[in-house]
Amino acid sequence: MARYVRFDRFGGPDVLHIETEDDPPLPGPGQVRVRVHAGGLNPVDWKIFHGGPSAATYHAVPPCGNGNDFAGFVDEVGHGSTGVQAGDAVFGGKRMFAQADYVLVDPGTLVPKPDELSFDEAGSLDISGRTAIATVESLALTPDDTVLVSAAAGGVGVLAAQLAIRRGATVVGTASERNHEFLRGLGVIPVAYGEGLVKRVRSVVPRITAALDNHGPETIDAALKLGVPGRRINTIAARGHRTDAGIAGVGGAGVDPQRVGELAALIAAGEIVLPIDTVFPLERVRDAYEHLIAGHVRGKVVLALV
Ligand SMILES: NC(=O)c1ccc[n+]([C@@H]2O[C@H](COP(=O)([O-])OP(=O)(O)OC[C@H]3O[C@@H](n4cnc5c(N)ncnc54)[C@H](OP(=O)(O)O)[C@@H]3O)[C@@H](O)[C@H]2O)c1
């Protein structure tokens, strides 16, 4: 039997349901089949099933599958497929198809899962990992930089903050109070987001030289007020805001999935932390998205399929 998360119309998490088929799908030529163990959630998933601009971007026309990130074992190899074997532990992403017991993919898109990395962690890396890598690289950070990172405890922010620190930058991260101790433990200087942000940032560091926005216009406006040039501000959450100031909008789309292998190795070695906020069984997919949409996860929300 194979289960699939699907939606037949746009709407909130209650449009999601699980369909079952008697037999797992068979990989075609050049494909492999992965038995999925875990799959992380991303905001873009719900932005797609809600309809609106993201649905148009990804050409979503219900009925659709759901999710992107997954990790599991290769369990069938189609004719002519190379590079992986049945039994390999792997992770990757497949837009609007990942939340299923089995996914069929091009083996070239799969990344080997390090033994020390859990399926929950590996299955949470495709979008957040690629995005964190791309955004940090977009600013060419050096040890001379002090970078403001918004939503620094969130799925992208927590990875981006740690990658920035590894480049030698000082990181000031926005988060609610309950995440401040956690962020301090990662080497991030925490500040609360919301009204008075500029003043609070000034109280903890003498200057900000760059900004990575993972939440919305507030960080962009604060960074500009703090004297950061627009070309040293990147946003993944408020594209179109202050384009007059030259704000960049680099996301993860251009990053080769294999590059996430380097990040996976760092997490496996304990050099970077990817917190798993909550794991929900597949049957509770609606609850999992309600929790993500509420907007205060630390790290990643994961669906467990085994
Ligand atoms: N363009 C791309 O390539 C790309 C890729 C990935 C993501 N994105 C977008 O980037 C955004 C972040 O994604 P994500 O996966 O990191 O989301 P996420 O994990 O859901 O982010 C959750 C975090 O947001 C923080 N937060 C809540 N309210 C906030 C506020 N008012 N100001 C600052 N932070 C606040 C929370 O902090 P507290 O819990 O401390 O309140 C929480 O840690 C989403 O809009 C997503 O769609 C774009």
Side-chain angles (χ1 to χ4, degrees):
M1 194 183 74
R3 298 167 299 168
Y4 302 83
V5 176
R6 294 209 196 282
F7 57 97
D8 297 337
R9 59 189 167 86
F10 291 128
D14 61 336
V15 300
L16 299 174
H17 61 275
I18 295 170
E19 286 179 16
T20 57
E21 288 177 13
D22 289 342
D23 299 313
L26 287 172
Q31 287 185 321
V32 298
R33 187 173 75 193
V34 176
R35 172 68 175 102
V36 176
H37 281 224
L41 273 52
N42 289 284
V44 70
D45 307 338
W46 63 257
K47 291 178 183 179
I48 292 172
F49 68 68
H50 270 86
S54 294
T57 302
Y58 295 104
H59 311 291
V61 181
C64 297
N66 193 57
N68 178 84
D69 295 7
F70 66 85
F73 286 106
V74 173
D75 82 334
E76 281 281 340
V77 176
H79 182 69
S81 294
T82 55
V84 296
Q85 297 177 7
D88 287 355
V90 293
F91 66 93
K94 188 165 182 185
R95 188 80 68 182
M96 290 189 289
F97 283 102
Q99 290 167 357
D101 283 313
Y102 299 91
V103 294
L104 303 179
V105 285
D106 170 351
T109 65
L110 294 172
V111 184
K113 183 188 85 62
D115 288 344
E116 301 78 8
L117 202 65
S118 68
F119 282 101
D120 292 345
E121 293 167 320
S124 294
L125 271 180
D126 185 60
I127 287 182
S128 296
R130 285 190 293 127
T131 306
I133 291 168
T135 58
V136 169
E137 288 183 352
S138 77
L139 295 182
L141 297 171
T142 74
D144 292 333
D145 279 307
T146 300
V147 58
L148 179 63
V149 177
S150 59
V156 176
V158 75
L159 294 175
Q162 293 174 87
L163 289 173
I165 288 170
R166 289 182 66 81
R167 287 180 161 246
T170 300
V171 173
V172 177
T174 72
S176 56
E177 183 67 35
R178 69 172 193 100
N179 278 317
H180 286 196
E181 206 47 49
F182 163 70
L183 289 175
R184 271 191 209 98
L186 301 179
V188 174
I189 302 169
V191 291
Y193 48 74
E195 204 179 327
L197 175 61
V198 169
K199 201 171 159 199
R200 283 191 294 282
V201 172
R202 283 200 180 114
S203 74
V204 293
V205 287
R207 67 185 188 124
I208 293 285
T209 62
L212 286 172
D213 170 47
N214 302 307
H215 194 270
E218 180 188 58
T219 316
I220 297 171
D221 294 340
L224 290 170
K225 277 189 193 142
L226 288 158
V228 181
R231 64 183 164 72
R232 298 222 72 213
I233 302 172
N234 189 70
T235 182
I236 59 167
R239 287 197 182 115
H241 182 70
R242 294 301 313 269
T243 43
D244 59 303
I247 312 298
V250 174
V255 176
D256 185 315
Q258 299 304 332
R259 298 262 343 260
V260 187
E262 299 158 26
L263 179 58
L266 290 170
I267 299 170
E271 292 186 33
I272 284 188
V273 173
L274 177 58
I276 302 301
D277 180 281
T278 321
V279 180
F280 290 87
L282 186 71
E283 293 71 23
R284 291 187 59 204
V285 60
R286 294 177 179 181
D287 294 337
Y289 278 103
E290 296 283 6
H291 183 56
L292 181 72
I293 291 167
H296 299 285
V297 301
R298 178 188 291 176
K300 300 297 295 184
V301 178
V302 176
L303 287 178
L305 290 99
V306 293

